[in-house]
Amino acid sequence: MNTGENDILEMESVGDTDEFDGDVRLDMIDEEVVYPEEFLPTYHTIKEGSKLLKTQLAEFNNRPDSLFFNDGIRRIDFILVYEDEDKKEFDKRHMSQRRKRRREFFEASLMSMGLELEATKSVLDDKLMFVKVHMPWDVLCTYAEVLHIKVPIQPNDLSSRTSPWHFLSCITKHFYPSEKLISKEAEYFTAPFEKAQEEFFYIKDKDLFFTPAMRSRMAYYILSRAPYELRGNIKKFGINKLLDGGVYKAAYPLHDCRFNVKSKDDACPNERFLLYNEWAHPKSFYKMQPLDLIRKYYGEKIGIYFAWLGFYTYMLALAAVVGLGCFIYGYKTQETSTWSKEVCDPEIGGQIVMCPQCDKFCNYWRLNSTCEASKKLCIFDNFGTLVFAVFMSIWVTLFLEFWKRYQARLEYEWDTVEFLEQEEPLRPEYEAKCIYERKNPITGMKEKVPYTACGRCVRVSIGIGTVLFWILLIVASIVAVMVYRLAVFFAFSTSLRNQDLKTLEPLKEYVTPQMATTVTASLINFVIIMILNILYERVAIWITNFELPRTKTDYENSLTLKMFLFQFVNYYSSCFYIAFAKGKSVGYPGNPVYLGRYRNEECDPGGCLFELTTQLSIIMGGKAIWNNIQEVLLPWVKNLILRHCKRGDAESTIPRWEQDYRLQPFSNLGLFYEYLEMVIQFGFVTLFVASFPLAPALALVNNLFEIRVDAWKILTQFRRIVPEKAQDIGAWQPILQGITILAVATNAMIMAFTSDMIPRLVYYWSFSVYPYGGHANHTMQGYINSSLSIFNTSDFTEDSMPQESYNITTCRYRDFRYPPGHPRQYEYNVYYWHVIAAKMAFIIVVEHIVYFTKFILSYVIPDVPYSVKEQIKREKYLTQKILHETNLKLVTKHMKLDDDETTKNTEDDVSKEGMDLDF
């Protein structure tokens, strides 16, 4: 923890268990608060602070775009909003006195810490009061040093290398924001600010030296640590507690203008207006993002999110083109596929009678009833899909490696290279619970912590246990959906295939029992996913709060891990079931495998791949629609209702701070959900892409809208977000790396076990060597007949025999077993074992090739570009030269002057002694 201003936060013992819900207790309303003697000066400033605020009660000066105090000089760095208790009814006013005392104490604390405040009445509501917060230059310098804010020391004298594609600038300039409106940011070498060496920094204008984002960040740091109550040895502090208790209605930094109207105030930079027109407006959907301006306006944390989202979308373009080409190839070849034509051929598929897929009530059915499904399957299950799966395995590696390079450049340009190397401030919630002492293993000094080692183990164990319980709950829901699938498949099989013996034709051309079951089960599974997400979100936040992480980064990383583990199981478990479990353990008609009282599900004769594709498309599409409704429509509707409920004054007559108050507050976890949404999408794009080549294209279209929708949302519907520092995307980086490693295995296994690709290849290359072999000219003719085994209907058990036999003596089923009458009837034949061997060999070969390629690419592509390394070294050199060596010279100069003065005094003393001796 940084020292300095934190002396005010030191506590003898802290236990802020008094929640604000208890404020209505009458026995506590008039309780006398006793303050320690050392804090009395600040306590006495409460009344003086209240008087100061009243004398600074500024009336609205008809300048709605003003970002300054009433004097037009002091800039507003933060806004606090509260409801004046004097305007309330008598009974409510009496119960609000304690809140009023807390607010007055808090504001006096802010003034004692150097902040300047000015109160203003609301234009629309007489009860509302707006407190404007200003940070003077001296306070800015103090907290810039405390927070290690890096500021310019000298213009960058290393010219950036010219891009090899500069000759295309006449074309590419149309895809960038207008340079006339958003000029390129000047490049500087920077160093952490030091108040004692202010003259060595590149300060042109003190009013503009610290950006509004920096000023707001420093103001929020003070607000989060200013005390609002002292009771004995207990000190309570932080704006968040006051907001939770209703002492303040809101706290936020100001937008600089309206998003759709340019401010007429000369001192307004109009950055919000520029961002809306060149970034968030639908007409700019094709333009690159003005990341430097986004970072300048919202801070590094928001900037790095949009940089990552834009880079991810940019890389998706290549994957989408290849995936779309694979889809077109499959679509063109579906009519020419030999095995699909055999399924649809009345003389082949129409003559093959398939065994019932459930007991007693299911009937026999013709193979050509799945004609349309087999054609659709050809679109996704072809040789092009195999190539695309391998391509995507390489693509994810390139995506991560190039992102590391891009991120390294942003880290340097945005001054976050050494962010994590500096000590991050503690969370106020953590500081408030520090009652135990321990020895810091790094500094060797004693420090206070909120729990012992045993207590921490208990907290973590409870958190892990709760997460495991919810994951088991998801597994239970998946089992419930499986039982539903079995029961509904039984019902659909009875109704859709209850045909007359003469025809045995399908009731409907496009509807099969498998397809009807898959669609309804996918919809139900999606609803369950959304419900569990809502419930678990609150549980995960509660667990993370209970664990009491030390810093905000620790808090976000802990919550990220919990939420992702849950979401991973919640979203992907049904896909894993269809891909790797369904149809893999069904037995054969005379000896089926049961799950409870229901027979296990079987796949269509073409496999389960199309069902997996259907599941993915429903979950991806439904998730995108639901997220847009939740993230965009709800805030817009809330703001619309709020505007209609309030007096309909035009924005041109309402001050800037009150216009922002009418917007929605941005959640502390708002950015977390944005990352989570995109990472889950990234999993769909990579983990199961072998079954759905269109996933990258759909993700690309969604992300093009997502960027602009997110930009429109935070610019127009929400108050300005408190700027935060961030070096990278945090815990999401290792999660993405884990997904890419898992994606290689899942795609290889989908191609081997879910797709019918390997059995076809074995058949294609076997020709006449084996009894199941194809033709010597390498065609797939006869493959369907070869992939279906024969069953004698007389071998049905009493429980599984259909009620009506239709005088059918044999039927077919999807498997590789010996026919009836063979010495090893109904056992796996040689073809089955050759196919299994080919599948295992395929997985091993593909995984080794892809992993080796990933290793080579990771080694060849450096994480930090050479030009960035040069500039980082140059910046460290200049920092050493300008700041530290200058200090050394000053110290040496002072020491020399002191030595000269000492020598002179010594010589004077010696000469004086000589004169005395002569005398």
Side-chain angles (χ1 to χ4, degrees):
M1 180 73 183
N2 296 306
T3 58
E5 88 291 358
N6 295 314
D7 294 338
I8 202 170
L9 299 180
E10 233 174 69
M11 290 168 281
E12 296 295 332
S13 95
V14 180
D16 193 0
T17 58
D18 177 24
E19 296 297 332
F20 288 109
D21 294 339
D23 285 351
V24 297
R25 286 174 50 190
L26 296 179
D27 60 334
M28 296 179 65
I29 293 297
D30 298 321
E31 180 183 355
E32 188 66 29
V33 181
V34 179
Y35 300 98
E37 291 184 3
E38 63 270 18
F39 207 76
L40 285 177
T42 303
Y43 172 59
H44 286 309
T45 62
I46 293 176
K47 296 299 182 182
E48 297 175 5
S50 298
K51 293 177 182 178
L52 182 61
L53 279 175
K54 289 179 180 178
T55 58
Q56 290 185 348
L57 186 61
E59 296 294 336
F60 178 47
N61 56 10
N62 294 321
R63 294 174 57 195
D65 292 333
S66 176
L67 303 175
F68 297 88
F69 276 22
N70 199 43
D71 57 15
I73 299 173
R74 291 172 290 175
R75 177 179 292 275
I76 300 173
D77 297 314
F78 227 87
I79 290 290
L80 304 176
V81 186
Y82 68 90
E83 196 169 4
D84 190 359
E85 285 80 4
D86 296 335
K87 301 289 186 180
K88 294 184 178 180
E89 299 175 3
F90 177 78
D91 54 342
K92 294 182 179 179
R93 189 192 316 163
H94 184 64
M95 293 192 303
S96 301
Q97 291 306 308
R98 192 173 180 214
R99 289 191 175 98
K100 181 178 181 180
R101 289 201 302 269
R102 284 178 165 177
R103 184 176 62 253
E104 290 177 344
F105 190 95
F106 180 73
E107 291 171 357
S109 299
L110 294 179
M111 288 187 286
S112 69
M113 298 169 75
L115 300 186
E116 297 178 2
L117 309 180
E118 181 181 79
T120 302
K121 290 182 179 179
S122 169
V123 174
L124 302 178
D125 189 345
D126 293 338
K127 295 180 181 179
L128 286 181
M129 296 289 292
F130 293 86
V131 179
K132 294 173 276 187
V133 179
H134 169 73
M135 296 186 69
W137 172 255
D138 188 62
V139 178
L140 286 171
C141 293
T142 299
Y143 284 91
E145 185 172 359
V146 167
L147 295 177
H148 302 283
I149 292 179
K150 299 183 75 173
V151 290
I153 54 176
Q154 167 181 315
N156 191 335
D157 55 4
L158 291 180
S159 58
S160 56
R161 291 178 171 80
T162 305
S163 171
W165 307 101
H166 68 280
F167 62 90
L168 296 176
S169 59
C170 59
I171 300 176
T172 57
K173 68 178 181 180
H174 300 291
F175 297 93
Y176 286 85
S178 174
E179 293 186 3
K180 295 180 180 179
L181 298 176
I182 302 178
S183 58
K184 188 177 180 181
E185 293 287 330
E187 296 183 7
Y188 295 96
F189 290 118
T190 59
F193 185 79
E194 295 181 22
K195 187 176 180 181
Q197 301 179 15
E198 176 184 323
E199 65 274 12
F200 298 112
F201 289 91
Y202 195 74
I203 303 176
K204 286 185 175 181
D205 186 346
K206 288 185 177 182
D207 292 333
L208 302 177
F209 183 65
F210 295 107
T211 65
M214 292 178 182
R215 299 172 68 106
S216 298
R217 181 182 163 213
M218 289 185 274
Y220 184 74
Y221 183 84
I222 298 175
L223 291 171
S224 299
R225 285 157 174 79
Y228 59 81
E229 184 174 286
L230 284 175
R231 185 183 302 164
N233 291 326
I234 299 176
K235 183 180 295 184
K236 302 179 181 181
F237 57 88
I239 185 63
N240 291 330
K241 282 284 186 180
L242 296 179
L243 289 171
D244 293 340
V247 176
Y248 287 101
K249 306 282 288 183
Y252 51 89
L254 284 181
H255 283 297
D256 63 0
C257 64
R258 282 181 282 171
F259 69 89
N260 55 351
V261 178
K262 188 174 182 179
S263 174
K264 297 179 181 179
D265 194 323
D266 296 334
C268 179
N270 285 295
E271 291 174 348
R272 187 188 185 196
F273 175 77
L274 294 176
L275 283 172
Y276 177 75
N277 281 279
E278 295 297 312
W279 179 42
H281 199 283
K283 69 179 182 181
S284 302
F285 77 95
Y286 62 92
K287 291 184 179 181
M288 302 295 287
Q289 301 182 89
L291 293 176
D292 288 333
L293 185 57
I294 297 171
R295 173 249 181 169
K296 181 181 178 183
Y297 193 76
Y298 282 113
E300 288 77 11
K301 193 169 185 178
I302 296 291
I304 200 71
Y305 164 71
F306 280 104
W308 177 81
L309 180 56
F311 184 82
Y312 170 47
T313 305
Y314 178 78
M315 290 292 291
L316 271 176
L318 176 61
V321 170
V322 179
L324 192 60
C326 177
F327 174 80
I328 294 174
Y329 169 79
Y331 184 82
K332 293 292 184 180
T333 58
Q334 65 173 331
E335 298 293 340
T336 60
S337 172
T338 303
W339 66 273
S340 178
K341 288 194 293 186
E342 288 186 350
V343 170
C344 299
D345 192 343
E347 300 299 324
I348 302 177
Q351 300 300 319
I352 296 178
V353 178
M354 303 296 294
C355 298
Q357 293 183 307
C358 65
D359 296 336
K360 288 188 177 181
F361 299 100
C362 291
N363 293 329
Y364 301 98
W365 51 285
R366 300 282 185 183
L367 180 61
N368 65 348
S369 66
T370 61
C371 175
E372 291 300 323
S374 66
K375 288 182 179 179
K376 298 298 182 291
L377 180 63
C378 290
I379 299 176
F380 303 101
D381 191 5
N382 53 67
F383 294 110
T385 306
L386 173 62
V387 176
F388 183 61
V390 175
F391 165 81
M392 286 300 295
S393 299
I394 306 299
W395 176 87
V396 293
T397 303
L398 293 174
F399 166 70
L400 285 181
E401 293 303 318
F402 285 128
W403 164 246
K404 290 177 184 177
R405 289 174 58 85
Y406 185 52
Q407 182 175 256
R409 185 175 296 278
L410 290 178
E411 286 176 13
Y412 170 74
E413 293 177 354
W414 292 357
D415 298 321
T416 60
V417 174
E418 299 177 353
F419 171 64
L420 293 182
E421 297 176 7
Q422 302 162 357
E423 186 174 358
E424 186 179 358
L426 303 178
R427 293 173 63 236
E429 295 84 356
Y430 179 91
E431 290 177 298
K433 302 291 184 180
C434 291
I435 57 177
Y436 301 100
E437 284 191 351
R438 71 160 190 177
K439 183 178 180 181
N440 190 309
I442 299 175
T443 63
M445 304 292 291
K446 285 187 177 181
E447 65 178 7
K448 289 189 175 182
V449 294
Y451 36 63
T452 61
C454 181
R456 176 168 176 76
C457 290
V458 171
R459 291 171 181 265
V460 174
S461 299
I462 292 175
I464 294 174
T466 307
V467 173
L468 290 177
F469 168 78
W470 279 83
I471 288 177
L472 291 176
L473 187 63
I474 298 173
V475 175
S477 69
I478 295 300
V479 173
V481 173
M482 288 171 56
V483 174
Y484 165 84
R485 295 172 68 98
L486 296 174
V488 170
F489 177 77
F490 171 81
F492 282 145
S493 296
T494 303
S495 60
L496 296 180
R497 285 180 173 146
N498 188 18
Q499 304 299 320
D500 186 76
L501 172 62
K502 296 180 180 179
T503 59
L504 284 179
E505 294 295 329
L507 178 65
K508 293 188 178 181
E509 186 178 6
Y510 295 98
V511 180
T512 63
Q514 289 90 347
M515 181 55 60
T517 302
T518 298
V519 172
T520 57
S522 298
L523 292 173
I524 292 175
N525 188 67
F526 174 73
V527 173
I528 293 175
I529 287 173
M530 293 296 105
I531 294 175
L532 290 177
N533 278 347
I534 295 173
L535 296 176
Y536 181 76
E537 174 187 326
R538 300 184 179 183
V539 174
I541 294 174
W542 177 83
I543 295 172
T544 309
N545 290 334
F546 177 75
E547 290 177 355
L548 210 60
R550 188 170 184 269
T551 64
K552 188 168 185 178
T553 299
D554 294 337
Y555 181 91
E556 292 179 349
N557 290 345
S558 178
L559 182 62
T560 296
L561 182 60
K562 292 182 182 66
M563 287 295 292
F564 178 75
L565 286 176
F566 177 83
Q567 299 270 21
F568 183 90
V569 179
N570 199 18
Y571 278 107
Y572 301 144
S573 54
S574 58
C575 297
F576 275 104
Y577 163 72
I578 295 175
F580 306 121
K582 182 181 177 182
K584 302 302 183 291
S585 179
V586 296
Y588 59 93
N591 186 26
V593 177
Y594 291 90
L595 178 64
R597 59 188 291 262
Y598 294 105
R599 208 166 121 181
N600 271 3
E601 281 186 285
E602 299 181 26
C603 295
D604 271 336
C608 287
L609 191 69
F610 190 64
E611 295 183 45
L612 178 59
T613 302
T614 304
Q615 179 85 0
L616 285 170
S617 59
I618 289 176
I619 293 180
M620 280 190 69
K623 181 175 176 294
I625 294 172
W626 174 257
N627 286 335
N628 286 327
I629 292 175
Q630 193 175 26
E631 295 177 9
V632 179
L633 191 60
L634 290 182
W636 179 77
V637 171
K638 288 180 181 178
N639 287 334
L640 189 65
I641 294 174
L642 185 63
R643 283 195 294 268
H644 280 282
C645 292
K646 300 290 183 181
R647 285 159 47 184
D649 298 66
E651 288 187 347
S652 58
T653 63
I654 303 174
R656 173 79 266 139
W657 47 86
E658 196 154 355
Q659 292 181 40
D660 286 3
Y661 178 69
R662 298 169 72 179
L663 299 176
Q664 293 297 310
F666 193 79
S667 169
N668 291 331
L669 298 175
L671 206 59
F672 166 81
Y673 295 114
E674 302 294 345
Y675 273 116
L676 183 62
E677 177 188 353
M678 288 296 102
V679 171
I680 293 296
Q681 182 204 87
F682 182 79
F684 281 121
V685 169
T686 56
L687 291 174
F688 306 101
V689 73
S691 64
F692 195 30
L694 282 180
L698 295 180
L700 175 64
V701 174
N702 176 80
N703 289 6
L704 289 174
F705 283 99
E706 183 75 19
I707 292 174
R708 307 303 163 178
V709 165
D710 285 349
W712 174 85
K713 177 178 65 177
I714 67 172
L715 276 171
T716 66
Q717 303 302 309
F718 288 95
R719 297 168 190 158
R720 190 169 182 175
I721 304 166
V722 178
E724 293 183 58
K725 203 84 169 173
Q727 185 182 36
D728 48 34
I729 61 176
W732 299 110
Q733 186 90 8
I735 288 175
L736 290 174
Q737 292 174 341
I739 291 176
T740 59
I741 294 173
L742 182 61
V744 177
T746 56
N747 283 295
M749 293 177 68
I750 287 173
M751 296 305 301
F753 294 108
T754 310
S755 168
D756 213 26
M757 186 65 60
I758 301 302
R760 291 183 211 157
L761 288 173
V762 173
Y763 180 86
Y764 184 81
W765 291 104
S766 60
F767 38 95
S768 59
V769 176
Y770 301 108
Y772 54 78
H775 297 271
N777 59 352
H778 297 295
T779 66
M780 294 300 296
Q781 187 176 351
Y783 169 73
I784 288 298
N785 184 65
S786 174
S787 64
L788 299 174
S789 298
I790 303 173
F791 180 75
N792 194 328
T793 57
S794 62
D795 293 331
F796 273 120
T797 62
E798 184 177 350
D799 294 333
S800 61
M801 182 177 294
Q803 291 181 341
E804 299 183 20
S805 63
Y806 301 119
N807 296 323
I808 295 175
T809 56
T810 61
C811 60
R812 309 295 291 273
Y813 61 99
R814 178 183 167 83
D815 214 336
F816 304 113
R817 296 178 182 268
Y818 289 111
H822 192 278
R824 299 170 60 188
Q825 67 175 0
Y826 303 134
E827 294 183 12
Y828 290 120
N829 57 25
V830 179
Y831 189 13
Y832 172 82
W833 297 111
H834 286 156
V835 169
I836 290 295
K839 289 180 177 181
M840 298 306 297
F842 173 82
I843 293 175
I844 294 172
V845 171
V846 169
E847 285 188 350
H848 279 69
I849 291 175
V850 173
Y851 283 135
F852 180 75
T853 306
K854 288 167 69 70
F855 172 77
I856 295 297
L857 290 174
S858 301
Y859 180 79
V860 170
I861 302 174
D863 291 347
V864 182
Y866 180 74
S867 59
V868 173
K869 289 181 179 179
E870 284 184 337
Q871 296 189 35
I872 292 175
K873 292 178 181 178
R874 172 69 172 165
E875 185 171 270
K876 289 182 177 180
Y877 168 77
L878 289 174
T879 303
Q880 181 73 22
K881 180 180 178 181
I882 295 176
L883 299 182
H884 301 290
E885 291 186 6
T886 304
N887 274 348
L888 185 60
K889 290 178 181 179
L890 290 174
V891 171
T892 305
K893 183 178 180 180
H894 287 305
M895 290 178 64
K896 187 177 180 181
L897 291 174
D898 292 340
D899 291 341
D900 292 343
E901 186 175 352
T902 303
T903 303
K904 182 179 179 180
N905 292 335
T906 304
E907 291 176 351
D908 291 342
D909 292 340
V910 171
S911 61
K912 185 176 182 181
E913 290 177 3
M915 290 175 65
D916 292 341
L917 289 174
D918 292 341
F919 178 77

